Amino acid sequence: MLLVLVHEWTLLSLIACSGLEIWRIENFKPVPIPASSYGKFFMGDSYIILKTTALKNGSLRHDIHYWIGKDTSQDEAGTAAILTVELDAALGGRAVQYREVQGNETEKFLSYFRPCIMPQPGGVASGFKHVEANNQDHETRLYVCHGKHVVHVKEVPFARSTLNHDDIFILDTKSKIFQFNGSNSSIQERAKALEVVQYIKDTFHEGKCEIASVEDGRMMADPEAGEFWGFFGGFAPLPRRAPAEGNEKHEETAIKLLCFDQGKLEPVNYESLAHELLQTNKCYFLDCGAELYVWMGRTTSLQERKGASEAAEKLLSDSNRTKTHIIKVIEGFETVMFKSKFKEWPQTPDLKLSSEDGRGKVAALLKRQGLNVKGLMKAAPAKEEPQSYIDCTGNLQVWRVNDKDKALLSSSDQSKFYTGDCYVFQYTYAGDDKEECLIGTWSGKKSVEEDRVTAVSLASKMVESAKFQAVQVRLYEGKEPIQFFVIFQSLQVFKGGLSSGYKKFIAENGIDDDSYSEEGLALFRVQGSGPENMQAVQVEPVASSLNSSYCYILHDGNTVFTWAGNLTTALDQELMERQLDVIKPNTQSRSQKEGSETDQFWSLLGGKSEYSSQKMVRELESDPHLFSCILSKGNLKVKEIHHFTQDDLMTEDVFILDCHTSIFVWVGQQVDVKVRLQALDIGEKFVVLDFLMENLARETPIFTVTEGSEPPFFTRFFTWDSAKSLMHGNSYQRKLAIVKGGGAPALDKPRRRTPVYSGRSTTQDKSQRSRSMSFSPERVRVRGRSPAFTALAASFESSSNRNLSTPPPVVKKLYPKSLTPDSLNTSSKSSAIAALAGSSDRPTETPTPESIKDGSESEKPKQEEDAKDGAGTMNNRVESLTINEDVKENEPEDDEGLPIYPYERLKTTAADPVTEIDVTRRETYLSSAEFKEKFGMTKEAFSKLPKWKQNRLKIALQLF
């Protein structure tokens, strides 16, 4: 019977939720320890640690570690090893099991107990008494620290001979804690060691003691250095050290495969290590020197797995390999590192049902005993609609790549992409406390390589001219992230291309030019989740292109049909209507319902044929993984950082955040400029490397992010404090300032406020967006202008141009404002417009967001004003981004005694302009009612906005 059924059912009753559970082995039985004691380990004991992680796909991942103290008896250590096998069986046989030996723990294990573990003398089985911290009788101790990402801490003899130039030492005295930095230690190791200093201060000194840092080689003239060396009898040069005990490295050894069958170990001969060598009814040892993997087939019994575990312990004991890690994996749930040892590894079969069945049997047994089994089964997958985490009311500029250069597109063309072309776009938007900038490239599926390279090169020069304070992204058609769609909002993708590179390619290869023509035959699939995220993608005009889950637009010249599949919703059909307003405005169309199409409709598609009804599923974001990266001689070396935090992002290094659907390359401020220029290359090499073996597509979006300019769609993966990334100095200097300053960075600059996004709410009432429509296949529909057009664009139209056949829905945010030559042809506009637009095609003249202009004196008043806005300004920002098309103005007018003029006479392009007014304050001459109608807020709310935002709104409304 399973272990959990023998010992008061203690184990499985606690594994229901995500988190950490720890048991100590007492009299060869597992005894749970309280959460308040997590991280406290005693050298004479053995422990079992269960880490349960809830994944985004709804399943639970289990990692089991058994920790063996240096004074633990061999019998107790063996018991811990066996109990982990039984616990895994109780969990359904899917956990990865790790053997942890004191002083040689895995980084994964140490990441659970940040910043470190500091085992104490004592233990149950050994008969030792547990030693508790007692500040009244403090004993001076010396520790050595190793590690850039997690810290290995070991107490060493308190003697001068222990010190050396390569390591970092912490001297813990009664009144002060000293950190001694060996001259050969790295900045990152020093910064991590400071976290241990803070831990010692909080744990053993109740947060009440001084902290001092001592640099190797600093003379007695330095007071702190003199005090430090006084504990060792005075300063004296340190000799070159011999290799310290416990720091020996494993020699490179040939990988060996052994089969454990019926209690015997037999070597397996092979020419190439292949997956086929592993049989599901046996256990195998993969001996890699530093790690010994125990692979257990799915059909092996519990007794066979226990036997294999005991044999692994004996193998290491006989060969005196006490530092080797034992890692046990079950067939179908192998780790990435294990699979990487093989020449190739096939796709893992879906074993969820069998593993869940095992958990179900245990749960049923517990239920019969009258125990609570809630949570033992697989958790329900999270159902969440993707959020963009980006303000979608900013300024958008788009260029088409053409002949080694780029051409700026007009506002009417910047959301019309061709699959044979490449594009560069720049999007500036309001961040939490400054203006943000996103510069990206989009390459169509049929684009030529030459244009793709040119697009990336032009975008990179724009980012460089912005002093790397803009986020860069590389995108390919069909793999766009949600951020791309919401900043374009209404996007059309046409077949063919307009660039000279594409034209040359089809001419040289004798390919017919099938570029879209308004007068020709074309079929569009409409997709998206709302008016702020909708696309019309041209597909082959054949019946097999249809899908019951989508709506389509079919036209042959002025003959236009709309087709709605049986599985579409009212929202899908509304999006089709909106896209039709763009593709074929003011054109009659016939609505077709699936199953009742006209003969003419099928004739245009070449006749009826079978088509799919399966909706294309958007690739879901997976649980993020963080890697540190080193690019050396063209080779990329990566190392995963487990249970990462913002503090793991060291300013001297480059990191990659892998979310499967997107890759983020984070570059610290202290990274060399040459490496910064290679950030995109690093991301591309990581995609090719596919370290996690998740079959990353070469077209996966890659974002490059510079420290201090992190966008919200990156920081959401952390508990983020922007003040940390704005601190000066290297990672050690920053951490030292925090530790000495009391635990928080002290900056004059205000922290980022809680972001408020103007994206569509997932709880928005769909009835607000839906139109009341009938779908008679024979009914001819006369089209008018789309209500999806932005409210600002509507301000420039005369009322005679709009002929809406149905009432428009309430739009809850502005669409991106486009700054293009078409919008700048009015000579009477001030030079401020040109400054904001800045649309020169030369990359060096790319406009830099105001907030990232380094050292600008004029920027200080704006920052101070933004700081004063506070939370109230954020509410006003939300108000300013809301357009109420049914304004009811009942409040009295308050116009500061100024005369009131109609909006049409106050515009900079007015036919009959008002004279003798302050032209810099045209908006103040509007009545309260008209002001609120145009700006979407009161005059008082407008006055509280930052000046740059006021000017932007006035420019958009032609009042500046």
Side-chain angles (χ1 to χ4, degrees):
M1 184 174 288
L2 294 179
L3 157 78
V4 294
L5 304 180
V6 181
H7 299 291
E8 300 178 1
W9 319 88
T10 53
L11 293 180
L12 276 178
S13 63
L14 292 173
I15 63 173
C17 58
S18 174
L20 203 63
E21 301 294 340
I22 303 179
W23 298 266
R24 182 171 57 220
I25 306 302
E26 298 181 9
N27 298 321
F28 306 105
K29 296 180 181 180
V31 177
I33 66 175
S36 59
S37 297
Y38 286 4
K40 296 180 181 179
F41 295 92
F42 294 96
M43 301 177 186
D45 290 334
S46 293
Y47 297 81
I48 295 176
I49 298 92
L50 170 64
K51 174 64 175 178
T52 302
T53 306
L55 304 179
K56 284 193 173 183
N57 63 7
S59 62
L60 298 175
R61 184 184 68 210
H62 302 292
D63 293 291
I64 307 174
H65 304 255
Y66 59 103
W67 185 88
I68 301 171
K70 71 180 185 66
D71 297 324
T72 303
S73 68
Q74 187 172 353
D75 289 342
E76 192 173 85
T79 300
I82 296 301
L83 293 182
T84 58
V85 177
E86 294 185 350
L87 177 57
D88 171 57
L91 293 169
R94 64 167 60 194
V96 180
Q97 304 163 49
Y98 302 84
R99 176 180 183 258
E100 309 285 354
V101 177
Q102 180 183 340
N104 194 48
E105 296 87 354
T106 63
E107 290 197 357
K108 189 181 186 74
F109 175 80
L110 291 176
S111 69
Y112 304 150
F113 308 102
R114 295 197 181 210
C116 64
I117 62 170
M118 301 180 69
Q120 303 297 307
V124 173
S126 61
F128 298 152
K129 292 183 179 180
H130 293 165
V131 179
E132 300 293 343
N134 186 349
N135 199 46
Q136 299 297 323
D137 187 23
H138 188 279
E139 179 181 351
T140 300
R141 298 176 183 272
L142 183 66
Y143 303 91
V144 64
C145 300
H146 305 282
K148 286 177 59 175
H149 305 298
V150 295
V151 188
H152 295 261
V153 180
K154 179 182 179 181
E155 185 175 356
V156 291
F158 175 33
R160 179 197 301 276
S161 59
T162 304
L163 303 176
N164 61 66
H165 299 293
D166 298 325
D167 295 322
I168 298 168
F169 294 86
I170 297 174
L171 179 63
D172 179 20
T173 71
K174 186 173 183 178
S175 60
K176 184 177 288 189
I177 304 173
F178 298 86
Q179 176 169 317
F180 175 82
N181 300 315
S183 57
N184 297 331
S185 62
S186 69
I187 293 173
Q188 297 93 327
E189 286 181 305
R190 298 178 187 186
K192 281 296 176 184
L194 278 172
E195 296 179 5
V196 179
V197 170
Q198 184 68 51
Y199 173 80
I200 293 174
K201 176 181 177 180
D202 295 339
T203 305
F204 301 106
H205 297 267
E206 299 179 349
K208 300 175 183 179
C209 72
E210 296 182 38
I211 291 174
S213 64
V214 178
E215 297 301 321
D216 186 8
R218 189 177 294 176
M219 297 295 103
M220 290 287 289
D222 183 279
E224 291 183 339
E227 188 178 356
F228 171 80
W229 287 111
F231 285 95
F232 297 91
F235 174 79
L238 296 178
R240 292 182 178 275
R241 76 172 185 124
E245 180 185 354
N247 286 343
E248 67 273 9
K249 295 184 178 179
H250 293 277
E251 297 181 0
E252 293 292 332
T253 58
I255 295 178
K256 301 176 184 177
L257 182 66
L258 302 95
C259 177
F260 179 80
D261 187 23
Q262 296 181 351
K264 297 181 180 180
L265 272 177
E266 298 290 341
V268 178
N269 298 321
Y270 60 88
E271 294 182 1
S272 176
L273 192 58
H275 172 264
E276 289 74 18
L277 294 171
L278 306 177
Q279 300 180 35
T280 188
N281 63 338
K282 296 180 181 180
C283 296
Y284 292 83
F285 292 3
L286 187 66
D287 191 351
C288 304
E291 300 91 18
L292 176 65
Y293 291 94
V294 180
W295 184 88
M296 305 174 182
R298 292 299 302 179
T299 61
T300 55
S301 66
L302 179 60
Q303 291 303 318
E304 289 175 304
R305 296 179 188 184
K306 287 182 180 181
S309 182
E310 291 175 333
E313 296 281 346
K314 187 174 187 304
L315 176 65
L316 296 187
S317 177
D318 291 345
S319 55
N320 197 28
R321 291 167 56 183
T322 58
K323 302 297 183 181
T324 297
H325 293 122
I326 296 178
I327 305 172
K328 308 169 194 173
V329 295
I330 305 297
E331 180 185 2
F333 299 96
E334 298 88 350
T335 65
V336 170
M337 291 305 299
F338 176 81
K339 292 188 286 188
S340 68
K341 307 295 182 183
F342 291 76
K343 182 179 180 181
E344 60 182 32
W345 194 271
Q347 285 293 311
T348 303
D350 188 3
L351 298 175
K352 290 182 179 179
L353 290 178
S354 59
S355 63
E356 294 300 336
D357 181 61
R359 291 167 58 84
K361 291 178 180 178
V362 176
L365 184 57
L366 292 176
K367 192 173 183 179
R368 286 199 296 270
Q369 300 294 326
L371 295 173
N372 181 19
V373 296
K374 182 180 179 181
L376 290 182
M377 301 305 293
K378 176 181 172 182
K383 295 181 179 179
E384 58 180 71
E385 187 166 335
Q387 298 185 45
S388 62
Y389 296 92
I390 190 171
D391 187 301
C392 51
T393 64
N395 297 322
L396 178 66
Q397 293 176 280
V398 183
W399 296 263
R400 179 184 291 112
V401 173
N402 192 49
D403 194 21
K404 299 292 184 181
D405 207 346
K406 65 184 193 298
L408 186 65
L409 301 183
S410 66
S411 58
S412 59
D413 289 335
Q414 68 176 9
S415 63
K416 297 178 179 178
F417 283 15
Y418 285 81
T419 191
D421 293 340
C422 294
Y423 299 83
V424 178
F425 62 90
Q426 175 177 289
Y427 182 65
T428 56
Y429 60 98
D432 300 333
D433 55 12
K434 64 176 182 176
E435 200 168 42
E436 307 278 3
C437 184
L438 175 64
I439 297 173
T441 59
W442 183 93
S443 300
K445 291 180 178 178
K446 298 295 181 66
S447 61
V448 297
E449 184 63 24
E450 184 179 3
D451 284 351
R452 296 183 179 187
V453 173
T454 299
V456 172
S457 176
L458 293 172
S460 297
K461 290 178 180 178
M462 293 168 67
V463 173
E464 187 177 358
S465 68
K467 300 181 181 179
F468 298 99
Q469 296 189 53
V471 177
Q472 184 176 358
V473 62
R474 183 217 66 181
L475 304 176
Y476 289 100
E477 180 185 355
K479 287 288 185 177
E480 302 91 343
I482 187 67
Q483 291 83 12
F484 175 80
F485 289 130
V486 298
I487 65 176
F488 278 87
Q489 302 205 344
S490 177
L491 182 70
Q492 298 81 44
V493 180
F494 300 99
K495 296 175 65 175
L498 303 178
S499 67
S500 58
Y502 176 78
K503 298 292 186 183
K504 180 181 178 182
F505 174 79
I506 62 174
E508 291 178 348
N509 291 273
I511 302 173
D512 292 334
D513 188 357
D514 61 349
S515 297
Y516 172 73
S517 171
E518 293 183 7
E519 305 304 320
L521 177 65
L523 178 66
F524 293 87
R525 181 183 67 246
V526 179
Q527 58 196 36
S529 61
E532 72 287 355
N533 170 18
M534 56 180 175
Q535 307 89 45
V537 180
Q538 188 177 359
V539 295
E540 288 296 321
V542 293
S544 58
S545 295
L546 299 177
N547 188 310
S548 300
S549 297
Y550 294 92
C551 294
Y552 292 78
I553 298 170
L554 174 65
H555 76 69
D556 187 11
N558 289 328
T559 302
V560 182
F561 290 93
T562 59
W563 186 86
N566 287 334
L567 301 180
T568 59
T569 65
L571 175 60
D572 295 326
Q573 294 156 24
E574 180 196 334
L575 300 186
M576 174 181 64
E577 295 286 311
R578 292 174 179 269
Q579 288 295 324
L580 185 57
D581 286 338
V582 179
I583 296 173
K584 281 293 183 179
N586 301 309
T587 305
Q588 296 180 343
S589 66
R590 289 187 173 184
S591 299
Q592 305 285 295
K593 189 71 173 177
E594 182 179 7
S596 57
E597 301 87 351
T598 63
D599 292 338
Q600 184 182 7
F601 174 82
W602 290 120
S603 177
L604 291 177
L605 294 178
K608 291 184 179 182
S609 68
E610 293 185 0
Y611 52 81
S612 176
S613 62
Q614 297 297 317
K615 194 175 184 70
M616 292 178 292
V617 179
R618 180 183 177 87
E619 198 170 9
L620 295 178
E621 184 180 81
S622 64
D623 296 273
H625 297 261
L626 184 68
F627 299 87
S628 63
C629 303
I630 298 177
L631 186 62
S632 177
K633 297 180 180 180
N635 296 321
L636 182 66
K637 297 181 180 179
V638 301
K639 184 175 183 179
E640 184 171 5
I641 300 173
H642 303 282
H643 305 99
F644 59 86
T645 68
Q646 181 186 356
D647 290 336
D648 288 308
L649 300 175
M650 298 282 192
T651 186
E652 300 82 12
D653 294 333
V654 177
F655 295 84
I656 286 181
L657 186 68
D658 179 4
C659 307
H660 184 65
T661 55
S662 295
I663 301 295
F664 293 89
V665 183
W666 184 91
V667 183
Q669 289 284 6
Q670 301 287 327
V671 172
D672 186 80
V673 174
K674 292 182 180 179
V675 178
R676 291 191 191 188
L677 294 172
Q678 296 176 303
L680 198 58
D681 293 334
I682 291 174
E684 291 178 340
K685 288 181 181 295
F686 181 85
V687 170
V688 173
L689 183 64
D690 194 13
F691 180 81
L692 293 177
M693 295 185 177
E694 52 187 355
N695 293 317
L696 283 176
R698 295 291 296 270
E699 298 80 16
T700 300
I702 300 176
F703 292 85
T704 63
V705 179
T706 302
E707 181 185 14
S709 300
E710 296 90 348
F713 50 86
F714 172 82
T715 60
R716 70 188 180 93
F717 296 104
F718 302 81
T719 300
W720 195 261
D721 181 359
S722 60
K724 290 183 178 180
S725 61
L726 294 172
M727 296 181 72
H728 296 292
N730 59 41
S731 55
Y732 172 66
Q733 292 167 336
R734 295 180 184 184
K735 185 71 71 175
L736 184 61
I738 293 175
V739 171
K740 285 192 171 183
L747 295 174
D748 293 333
K749 187 176 182 66
R751 296 182 182 225
R752 287 194 174 189
R753 297 184 289 267
T754 302
V756 177
Y757 306 104
S758 56
R760 179 172 64 86
S761 169
T762 56
T763 59
Q764 181 180 351
D765 185 0
K766 293 185 178 181
S767 64
Q768 293 181 334
R769 301 192 304 263
S770 304
R771 302 186 190 181
S772 176
M773 291 178 272
S774 60
F775 292 93
S776 169
E778 300 298 329
R779 180 174 65 85
V780 176
R781 185 176 179 83
V782 179
R783 297 298 307 166
R785 294 294 300 277
S786 170
F789 277 45
T790 70
L792 287 181
S795 299
F796 306 142
E797 300 171 346
S798 63
S799 58
S800 60
N801 289 336
R802 290 187 68 84
N803 180 26
L804 298 180
S805 55
T806 54
V810 176
V811 180
K812 295 229 170 175
K813 63 173 182 279
L814 297 177
Y815 278 43
K817 296 186 286 292
S818 305
L819 297 178
T820 63
D822 285 3
S823 64
L824 304 177
N825 56 9
T826 305
S827 60
S828 62
K829 294 186 178 179
S830 70
S831 60
I833 301 178
L836 279 175
S839 58
S840 169
D841 287 347
R842 296 189 299 275
T844 56
E845 297 181 8
T846 300
T848 303
E850 292 179 0
S851 61
I852 63 175
K853 292 180 180 176
D854 194 24
S856 173
E857 291 298 324
S858 61
E859 189 63 17
K860 294 179 181 178
K862 183 182 78 65
Q863 291 178 352
E864 292 173 0
E865 184 175 351
D866 287 351
K868 293 177 181 178
D869 285 343
T873 302
M874 293 305 295
N875 295 330
N876 294 331
R877 175 180 295 172
V878 177
E879 181 182 354
S880 69
L881 301 180
T882 304
I883 304 169
N884 189 345
E885 298 188 2
D886 299 314
V887 175
K888 294 181 180 180
E889 186 62 55
N890 295 318
E891 62 184 58
E893 296 182 356
D894 180 11
D895 299 303
E896 303 177 2
L898 296 176
I900 295 173
Y901 298 100
Y903 168 70
E904 295 298 329
R905 294 192 61 195
L906 291 171
K907 290 194 302 182
T908 56
T909 58
D912 181 21
V914 178
T915 58
E916 298 181 356
I917 62 170
D918 184 352
V919 294
T920 65
R921 301 177 63 218
R922 296 176 187 269
E923 73 282 0
T924 60
Y925 298 93
L926 289 170
S927 69
S928 295
E930 194 161 16
F931 188 98
K932 188 169 184 180
E933 179 184 358
K934 298 301 180 183
F935 284 91
M937 70 185 80
T938 64
K939 288 185 178 182
E940 181 183 3
F942 177 80
S943 67
K944 294 180 181 179
L945 294 177
K947 289 296 183 185
W948 63 268
K949 179 163 283 189
Q950 292 182 12
N951 291 339
R952 178 175 293 172
L953 291 172
K954 289 194 290 184
I955 289 170
L957 289 169
Q958 295 184 323
L959 291 171
F960 193 69

